[in-house]
Amino acid sequence: MKRIGLIIATTALAILATASVSSAQMGVAVMWEGGGIPGVFALPITFGEGMVFQPVVMIDWQGDDGPTPGTRLGLGASFEKEMGEGDTKPLFGGRAGVAIVSPKVGDSYTNFSLGVFVGGTAKLADNVSIVGQWGPDVTIVGEKGSASGKSYASINSAASLTLRWWIWGNK
C-alpha cells in the first residue's frame, strides 16, 4: 500500500513539474544586506505568473577586530510575488531562515528568523535584474547568544539588494 501511495505522489509531482517547466526560469544571485562583499548567495526559481522561490545560503566571517568575532552560516528561503507587467514591477513576499553562529569565544548557538517584505524589481538587461526589498523580521536568538543565557525574540527591519542573472529561461 505504501508503494502505491509513493507511485501516485511521484506521478502527480512529475505531471505538475512538466506542466510548469515551460514557464519556469532559474538563475543565480548575490544579495547585499549591508555594505561590502555580498554575503548571501541565492538560486532564484520562477514559476507561475510572477512568483519567485529563492533558496539562500549566507556565510559571514568576522575577523578578530569585529564586534562579534567568529563565523555565521545561514540557510533560508524567500517567496515573492511580482505584480503588474513591464520591466519594473512592485513585489511582496515572505522569508524564513536559520543561522548557526560560532563565536571565536564561547559556545555556538542558533538563531531563527521569519519576516515579510515589500519591494520592487527592475530588468537591467536581457536575463539580468535587480531586486530591492525591505520589511520587518522577527528573530529568535539562541540562549548562548544572549547576555542573560536565555533565548529571546527581537523585531528588526531588514533591507536587501539582490542582483539576479537568469541562466535558464528568459526573464
Side-chain angles (χ1 to χ4, degrees):
M1 192 56 123
K2 257 183 165 176
R3 285 187 177 167
I4 293 172
L6 185 59
I7 290 170
I8 292 170
T10 304
T11 304
L13 286 173
I15 291 169
L16 181 61
T18 304
S20 58
V21 152
S22 62
S23 64
Q25 296 160 331
M26 189 187 309
V28 293
V30 291
M31 181 184 299
W32 290 268
E33 292 182 320
I37 297 170
V40 181
F41 304 93
L43 183 68
I45 304 164
T46 66
F47 57 95
E49 291 295 318
M51 294 184 283
V52 178
F53 175 70
Q54 181 169 265
V56 298
V57 174
M58 184 246 336
I59 302 169
D60 185 19
W61 289 283
Q62 300 246 340
D64 293 336
D65 298 332
T68 54
T71 305
R72 186 172 58 150
L73 173 65
L75 299 171
S78 67
F79 176 80
E80 65 190 52
K81 172 68 174 134
E82 298 172 352
M83 299 173 289
E85 298 293 323
D87 290 345
T88 306
K89 302 176 240 189
L91 58 85
F92 67 95
R95 61 181 160 243
V98 60
I100 300 164
V101 182
S102 299
K104 190 150 180 127
V105 177
D107 294 332
S108 296
Y109 57 94
T110 304
N111 298 340
F112 298 93
S113 64
L114 189 63
V116 295
F117 58 84
V118 294
T121 181
K123 183 177 179 178
L124 299 177
D126 287 343
N127 298 331
V128 177
S129 61
I130 192 162
V131 179
Q133 301 173 347
W134 175 88
D137 278 342
V138 175
T139 302
I140 299 172
V141 177
E143 59 187 50
K144 302 284 185 186
S146 67
S148 67
K150 296 183 179 179
S151 293
Y152 67 92
S154 68
I155 299 174
N156 304 303
S157 65
S160 66
L161 189 62
T162 305
L163 183 63
R164 291 178 177 159
W165 176 36
W166 299 98
I167 56 176
W168 182 50
N170 187 16
K171 182 71 178 165

